[in-house]
Amino acid sequence: MPPFPFALLTPAESAAMDHAASSMTPVSRLMENAGWAVARSIRSRFDPCRVVVACGPGNNGGDGYVAARHLAQWGWSVVVAAMASPKEGTPAYEAASLWTGPVVPFVADRLAEADLVVDAVFGSGLKRPVSDEVWAVLQAAEHVVAIDMPSGVSGASGEILGYAPQCLMTVTFVRPRPGHLLGPGAELCGEVVCADIGMPVQAWDGIQPSIQLNQPGLWRIPVSSDGDYKYRRGVVSLCAGEEMPGATRLSARGARRTGAGLVRIAAGKGAPAYRLGDPGLIIDDAPLSDLLEDRRRQVWICGPGLTPDEVAAVMPQLLSAERTVLADAGALAWGAEDLTRLKGVAAVTPHIGEFRKLFGPVNGSKLDAALDAARRINAVVVMKGPDTVIAAPDGRIAINRHASSALATAGSGDTLTGVIAALLAAKMDVWEACCAGVWLHGEAGIEAGKAYGGWPVAEDLDAPLGLAREKAARLAQEAERKNPTGSLL
């Protein structure tokens, strides 16, 4: 069983595996398997039509020559448009020599007249922008299937390097690349198919991937047992402001629905505004210093519904008491004035606008930006978005695409803080709790979207969380059965 079932391979890691595999099996055999997988994926999704396979000179182009040969053997009308010839003696050269069909110039007119273009020009390892001359040809294609990665999309980061075509499908191998999940390039990939090409298990030796696909099995949620009671399930406490009780309530509901045994709101002078809320909540009006004497209250949410001035009054006390603090909203606005204020928190959950205010512009890779931010404040960073990145200071990174546009509503982020806090209270590792919380929140958004015609409000997101948790536990068990060695990073 290959290790790291949730790994997202960077182009460098993929190249290292290819190099290691070359001592165990001929590269030409892996190329043959890859090209056949591409051809098979095309045949299963499209009717026979006129195909132009646009081939570059490297291994990506070699995969293209193999795919062209198989499609032609199945009776499809196929020609190869060679951007450049492979270097003699390479596996791509060998693959090209086995192609006996037509080879036509790499020009826009040839691609424009095709019913389907197979993009086998650059692949995922591209590091420099696509030239205007190459783009002038590729953009003539109307319907495109990419091998490994649309030419012009960075496999490492999802950045678009100059130009890249919109594809109907992308066929990659062994494991997906980060660029298949990270915008803006991910939106150009279309359906992503990851094919097994017979990579030797031993080729994983020495590979220690740090980037993971966020899904159950990467983490495991604590399960309920007959001996549970509220304090074993965990206590979540929230710092509340006087002016904006709604955000705090949404976080509290998220925590309760995710399984926290007890949720308490430290409202101070604003307690009367919270007492008419959910009857299962406990509202505290005592000074925070008194509340922190209770050692059972280890996990605190600080920020939702708070002004920066209100955060300034409570955050230093929480950090001085060495509590596990999840910072969001008002706490991030307060921290943006001086980033050192957030040192000591366990995790922050900024959307991209808040992230920029805290850490500066994101120039280049979101993964690099999130990891750098996590190390700057020594806390887990959840960079929220359709491609949420969860980064830990120790180098662990997960990318989450399990979400829905139904989450694009005010207050949904407050619910997320409650979900994560409940998992922290259940004593999950901070990074794993953030990963699990993001997935559960995404699943709740998907289910709420179905229930409300795609347009739920934040108050609808907490109801599906129990079922989301049940689904996550089931999927994690299934993943463990498929990977009994437990080879997870």
Side-chain angles (χ1 to χ4, degrees), residues 9 66 69 85 114 127 129 210 213 222 254 275 330 352 364 384 405 453 468:
L9 288 175
V66 175
R69 175 160 47 83
S85 298
K127 296 180 180 179
S210 61
L213 174 64
R275 295 202 186 280
I352 190 63
K384 297 184 294 192
S405 60

Side-chain angles (χ1 to χ4, degrees), residues 133-150:
E133 292 77 14
V134 172
W135 174 240
V137 177
L138 291 177
Q139 70 174 343
E142 184 175 359
H143 301 110
V144 183
V145 169
I147 297 180
D148 200 25
M149 186 69 66

Side-chain angles (χ1 to χ4, degrees), residues 77-443:
S77 173
V78 185
V79 300
V80 167
M83 187 194 79
S85 298
K87 184 178 179 180
E88 190 171 350
T90 64
Y93 182 86
E94 180 182 343
S97 68
L98 295 175
W99 169 248
T100 58
V103 177
V104 301
F106 184 76
V107 295
D109 288 348
R110 285 292 189 176
L111 271 64
E113 66 188 15
D115 298 315
L116 185 68
V117 170
V118 179
D119 172 10
V121 178
F122 290 126
S124 66
L126 186 68
K127 296 180 180 179
R128 61 181 184 274
V130 172
S131 68
D132 292 343
E133 292 77 14
V134 172
W135 174 240
V137 177
L138 291 177
Q139 70 174 343
E142 184 175 359
H143 301 110
V144 183
V145 169
I147 297 180
D148 200 25
M149 186 69 66
S151 290
V153 175
S154 166
S157 67
E159 297 170 81
I160 297 176
L161 303 176
Y163 314 94
Q166 176 66 62
C167 297
L168 299 172
M169 177 174 68
T170 298
V171 184
T172 192
F173 315 110
V174 185
R175 294 285 191 276
R177 312 291 181 260
H180 292 124
L181 285 86
L182 293 168
E187 281 65 51
L188 299 180
C189 291
E191 178 189 3
V192 176
V193 177
C194 188
D196 179 2
I197 58 171
M199 180 67 70
V201 173
Q202 294 82 355
W204 284 93
D205 293 347
I207 304 294
Q208 291 292 325
S210 61
I211 305 170
Q212 309 281 338
L213 174 64
N214 187 37
Q215 62 185 51
L218 177 64
W219 36 263
R220 296 171 179 85
I221 293 175
V223 297
S224 181
S225 65
D226 291 340
D228 270 358
Y229 53 91
K230 60 187 177 184
Y231 289 112
R232 178 179 290 176
R233 284 193 175 186
V235 183
V236 173
S237 300
L238 302 94
C239 294
E242 294 187 37
E243 299 178 10
M244 295 180 286
T248 308
R249 284 175 173 165
L250 288 170
S251 291
R253 292 176 68 175
R256 295 182 70 208
R257 289 287 188 180
T258 304
L262 183 62
V263 177
R264 306 183 68 148
I265 295 179
K269 296 179 181 179
Y274 292 88
R275 295 202 186 280
L276 295 179
D278 294 338
L281 286 173
I282 294 179
I283 311 301
D284 297 309
D285 56 9
L288 180 60
S289 58
D290 292 351
L291 303 179
L292 289 172
E293 292 180 3
D294 188 345
R295 300 299 299 177
R296 297 172 299 184
R297 302 178 67 171
Q298 290 295 314
V299 175
W300 287 75
I301 296 173
C302 184
L306 273 67
T307 66
D309 287 343
E310 289 172 329
V311 173
V314 296
M315 181 69 85
Q317 295 185 66
L318 297 175
L319 298 180
S320 178
E322 299 183 342
R323 294 303 193 257
T324 299
V325 180
L326 180 58
D328 189 28
L332 304 183
W334 176 71
E337 299 175 12
D338 179 359
L339 195 57
T340 63
R341 292 171 170 177
L342 294 178
K343 288 190 175 181
V345 303
V348 296
T349 56
H351 56 63
I352 190 63
E354 292 168 328
F355 185 94
R356 292 189 183 109
K357 290 179 181 178
L358 281 166
F359 304 107
V362 179
N363 296 319
S365 168
K366 294 179 184 176
L367 300 178
D368 291 343
L371 183 56
D372 177 70
R375 287 172 172 165
R376 285 172 67 184
I377 62 171
N378 195 33
V380 173
V381 171
V382 179
M383 186 195 293
K384 297 184 294 192
D387 51 358
T388 294
V389 175
I390 307 104
D394 61 11
R396 290 176 293 172
I397 305 176
I399 304 172
N400 185 83
R401 295 288 299 197
H402 186 74
S404 163
S405 60
L407 295 174
T409 182
S412 68
D414 301 316
T415 301
L416 174 62
T417 60
V419 176
I420 296 173
L423 300 175
L424 290 172
K427 295 182 171 54
M428 284 187 72
D429 166 81
V430 178
W431 181 75
E432 292 188 358
C434 289
C435 290
V438 168
W439 192 93
L440 292 175
H441 186 243
E443 175 68 16

